[in-house]
Amino acid sequence: MPKIVNHNLMEPHPAQWWHSESTDDESTFPLQDKAVVCELCPRQCHIAEGHTGYCFARQNHNGRLVSAVYGRSTGFCIDPIEKKPLYHFLPGTPTLSFGTIGCNLGCRHCQNWQTSRCRQLDVLTEQASPDMIASAARQLACPSVSLTYNEPVVWSEYAVDTARACWQQGVKTVAVTNGYLRPEPAKWFFESIDAANVDLKSFRDSFYRDIAGGMLQPVLDTLVYLVRETGVWLEITNLVIPGENDSPDDLKNLCDWIVTELGDHVPLHLSAFHPAHQLLHRPPTDAETVFHARETAQSCGLRHVYPGNLTSVRRQATCCGRCGISLLERDGYGTVATGVSLPTQEGGDAVCRQCHERLAGWFAPNVGTWGNRRQAVRFG
């Protein structure tokens, strides 16, 4: 278990994207008595002195918004990049992964609810500065750092500084996110991000309202922004929940929108639901439901659709969108190049050896061999 030397990062860190609530008489209402308004995500929480927003991670400290979790993490681990999941971004490589606590959505089905709805700062047992994380990634031969485990938008100051530090040291940054933030902060958040997996939970606003505690449109806006205005490599995950978002019409509407607004090259991961948090009464998603959903997505024109939370080597393969031959085979999270020609330099597209069709993504000259391993990292 690698251990990285560290220093204290316990002081409250100033947050971005907020303003004080205005008053008519500034002398009557001192700054420390005022509520603040967080402008980071669509909730725009009004936060009283000493309280946090809905996400638990952003706090009114003496009349100013601070990040209560900056520089602190629930833990660091080296994961396979395929676990994020990203299948078209540096496949086979390890990624140094970490998260904090809190989330700006309230999904009843959350599988990470112990950290996403956690209010206890004492679970943040690891401390590491952005520069230290970037240096550790290089030292541990990880070509990327992943902002994951809980929603990185709510600790965006830490996320942004880490992404910038990684960029300076030649390390890529991945964001695993719900995409629930406002347009201007989105530009700031994704400026130094290289790849993202965005969770598109449903194509119905009623699902976001009743099951996720949010709104659909801001997520769609984020997805369109990423594809049309940035160079961020994008993959999308949809968790298929029986009786909630698994109807053929729901999935068809979602996939038709992806094809029309984002493009048929965007990979879609359809993950099986396992009962968790407040949806323990729902059954797990069976394999046939996920495979049928995959067929629906492919019939809508999506080229790369992957079943998740299931074991199926054949259906996890990346195939050519034109001739159909297997390009990348997967056994769990381990990836092997089969019928694909990889670029001579990192960052290029791959090409089908048989028909020369381009495989969109961010590839290196070789597929990594990290496989299914998982390795804890300590910042002591």
Side-chain angles (χ1 to χ4, degrees), residues 42-43 105 180 204-205 208-209 212-220:
R43 289 188 177 280
L105 289 178
Y180 200 61
R204 285 185 293 110
D205 197 65
Y208 268 86
R209 182 185 65 246
M215 298 180 290
L216 168 63
Q217 191 59 51
V219 181
L220 301 182

Side-chain angles (χ1 to χ4, degrees), residues 29-47:
F29 298 94
L31 183 63
Q32 61 266 27
D33 294 333
K34 288 183 182 179
V36 300
V37 180
C38 180
E39 300 174 335
L40 181 64
C41 88
R43 289 188 177 280
Q44 295 185 271
C45 293
H46 291 236
I47 308 171

Side-chain angles (χ1 to χ4, degrees), residues 17 39-40 153 156 160 163-164 179-193 218 221-226 228-232:
W17 305 102
E39 300 174 335
L40 181 64
V153 164
S156 54
V160 167
R164 290 172 176 172
Y180 200 61
L181 71 170
R182 300 177 70 229
E184 286 304 312
K187 297 177 183 178
W188 166 73
F189 180 83
F190 287 108
E191 182 181 18
S192 298
I193 299 295
D221 292 342
T222 297
L223 291 167
V224 169
Y225 167 71
L226 288 173
R228 298 184 184 180
E229 300 187 43
T230 78
V232 176

Side-chain angles (χ1 to χ4, degrees), residues 122-179:
D122 58 7
V123 305
L124 300 171
T125 57
E126 298 289 333
Q127 297 181 52
S129 70
D131 285 337
M132 293 172 59
I133 295 169
S135 296
R138 287 182 59 86
Q139 176 183 331
L140 298 169
C142 295
S144 67
V145 166
S146 288
L147 317 171
T148 182
Y149 300 149
N150 76 310
E151 178 49 54
V153 164
V154 305
W155 41 281
S156 54
E157 292 78 17
Y158 193 20
V160 167
D161 287 351
T162 299
R164 290 172 176 172
C166 286
W167 181 83
Q168 291 175 350
Q169 297 202 38
V171 176
K172 304 300 180 187
T173 306
V174 170
V176 182
T177 174
N178 59 30

Side-chain angles (χ1 to χ4, degrees), residues 41 43 45-47 52-58 102-107 116-119 154 212-214:
C41 88
R43 289 188 177 280
C45 293
H46 291 236
I47 308 171
T52 66
Y54 180 89
C55 67
F56 307 148
R58 303 170 75 74
C103 188
N104 56 353
L105 289 178
C107 297
S116 68
R117 304 315 300 159
C118 180
R119 298 172 181 262
V154 305

Side-chain angles (χ1 to χ4, degrees), residues 83-129:
K83 191 176 181 180
K84 299 304 109 184
L86 288 172
Y87 281 9
H88 293 230
F89 184 82
L90 297 177
T93 61
T95 180
L96 179 59
S97 306
F98 73 103
T100 65
I101 60 171
C103 188
N104 56 353
L105 289 178
C107 297
R108 296 175 59 198
H109 56 280
C110 182
Q111 298 182 21
N112 298 317
W113 63 270
Q114 294 95 334
T115 54
S116 68
R117 304 315 300 159
C118 180
R119 298 172 181 262
Q120 306 300 321
L121 292 178
D122 58 7
V123 305
L124 300 171
T125 57
E126 298 289 333
Q127 297 181 52
S129 70

